[in-house]
Amino acid sequence: MRSAEMIELWRGDMRESLHRGHAVICDAHGVVEAWGKPSQVIYPRSSCKMIQALPLIESGAADAAGLTDRQLALACASHSGAAVHVQGVGDWLEGLGMAEGDLRCGSHMPRDPAENKRLTCSDESPCQLHNNCSGKHAGFLTLNRHLKGGAEYVAPDHRVQQAVKAAFEEVTDQTSPGFGIDGCSAPNWACTLEGLARAMARFANPGSDRRGQAMQRLVDAMRAHPDLVAGEGRSCTALMRAMGGTIAVKTGAEAVFVAILPEQGFGVALKITDGTARASEAAITALLIHLGVLDAADPVAQSYLNGPIRNWRGMVTGSLRTSPGFPS
């Protein structure tokens, strides 16, 4: 099976660009619908942060540290480095008796315009708290303190990452074929797209056991705090708000996107093969509309799919559309 034609960019009367990819919808029993190749092996990148946060709760580390829902949302976040994110992670570390230097995620300029401008105009350098993965790493540090592990918690053979790997393989129901090093220096375990969708379906259908309770807490935290999961103007935040906090969605680098639909019991995973975010945002929007949880006429939906693309003068130049048959 090949990748499927998914998202098209139209300019005038001509299809100018085409994005292909793979997408899978699962429920508690398996695949419900699929486009492209469900067995395609991918790196889920940041789309799997809620999986990576499972050992944080299951181990008892989260409760021992008294973590709040806001902190659990940050553990699942790819945030914009806004003041609310930086302060949130900084306070979290301070509560652990730790500091920014204990992180191993590296630093980069924040995506948030206000914080970016503040740093630029003050000649202040960004720190690791600005890293979009600093919340996930604060979660790793919390787990590491509980496990009494060594300082280099991002090493693939470290107890923290081995706990993450075990949880990842269990919820995807697959033995990972290997890992790559993510942008934040942590290992990112590979799986099939079907495995990732199956994992999201498990988050949508959590049981009452320890794992199910951990899944429920993470999904609830994401839905309650969409601003912490990403940030203003970001697709994860905008889409969760548009759906009234009923659905959890999470993007990942290189055009991966997942969705957790608790009321419907569905998990969704998609990957655009060329790694373009505009296409993954359009594709997840199309699937959410297809599943009846997002109104196609909602301004947020139209900002990612079917709405007009304008140039710098405000002239309509084209639109992003779904390819015929996606979603059917």
Side-chain angles (χ1 to χ4, degrees):
M1 294 175 64
R2 300 179 60 210
S3 58
E5 295 186 358
M6 289 189 173
I7 301 297
E8 303 174 354
L9 174 66
W10 282 75
R11 188 181 300 271
D13 296 326
M14 187 176 79
R15 187 178 77 174
E16 186 175 27
S17 299
L18 170 66
H19 300 284
R20 304 180 66 94
H22 312 275
V24 182
I25 301 172
C26 284
D27 64 10
H29 305 290
V31 176
V32 176
E33 289 185 87
W35 298 263
K37 185 179 178 182
S39 61
Q40 180 66 42
V41 177
I42 66 163
Y43 291 120
R45 303 297 297 271
S46 287
S47 75
C48 71
K49 282 182 176 174
M50 63 288 286
I51 301 176
Q52 294 172 311
L54 283 173
L56 171 63
I57 298 178
E58 293 177 347
S59 66
D63 288 339
L67 297 190
T68 65
D69 282 352
R70 292 179 64 85
Q71 290 165 324
L72 293 180
L74 284 169
C76 299
S78 297
H79 63 69
S80 297
V84 66
H85 305 125
V86 173
Q87 186 68 47
V89 178
D91 290 346
W92 182 351
L93 294 179
E94 184 178 355
L96 295 175
M98 297 182 180
E100 180 264 352
D102 292 303
L103 296 170
R104 295 293 184 268
C105 53
S107 60
H108 60 72
M109 284 296 286
R111 185 168 177 170
D112 178 72
E115 184 66 3
N116 190 298
K117 181 179 180 180
R118 185 189 72 80
L119 291 173
T120 301
C121 293
S122 67
D123 240 1
E124 181 182 338
S125 297
C127 69
Q128 292 185 98
L129 298 176
H130 291 101
N131 188 297
N132 69 308
C133 295
S134 65
K136 177 179 82 172
H137 281 249
F140 286 161
L141 280 172
T142 305
L143 175 59
N144 191 38
R145 187 182 73 164
H146 191 74
L147 298 176
K148 298 179 172 57
E152 300 305 316
Y153 63 84
V154 294
D157 61 352
H158 192 281
R159 293 178 69 184
V160 166
Q161 300 307 327
Q162 286 299 299
V164 169
K165 179 189 178 186
F168 184 82
E169 292 184 331
E170 287 163 9
V171 298
T172 59
D173 198 24
Q174 295 176 350
T175 299
S176 176
F179 67 90
I181 300 300
D182 215 332
C184 67
S185 300
N188 195 249
W189 299 95
C191 65
T192 68
L193 204 68
E194 179 183 345
L196 185 58
R198 187 185 306 118
M200 295 304 106
R202 286 180 170 159
F203 275 86
N205 299 276
S208 58
D209 60 0
R210 182 176 61 177
R211 171 149 295 166
Q213 292 175 30
M215 288 177 164
Q216 188 70 62
R217 287 177 66 182
L218 291 167
V219 172
D220 287 347
M222 292 176 69
R223 294 188 297 173
H225 302 287
D227 57 319
L228 299 181
V229 174
E232 299 304 320
R234 300 280 303 283
S235 57
C236 290
T237 297
L239 287 168
M240 283 193 280
R241 283 175 174 167
M243 294 179 289
T246 59
I247 308 300
V249 298
K250 185 69 187 68
T251 189
E254 298 302 320
V256 182
F257 229 119
V258 301
I260 299 167
L261 287 68
E263 292 183 11
Q264 295 76 15
F266 291 144
V268 180
L270 70 88
K271 161 74 177 178
I272 300 296
T273 57
D274 63 21
T276 304
R278 73 177 184 190
S280 63
E281 291 171 346
I284 196 66
T285 299
L287 290 171
L288 293 171
I289 293 169
H290 173 65
L291 291 170
V293 294
L294 179 63
D295 185 353
D298 189 289
V300 171
Q302 293 197 346
S303 71
Y304 297 112
L305 182 69
N306 295 325
I309 296 175
R310 300 180 184 274
N311 66 12
W312 297 113
R313 293 184 61 204
M315 298 172 62
V316 175
T317 61
S319 64
L320 284 172
R321 312 175 188 174
T322 54
S323 297
F326 177 76
S328 57

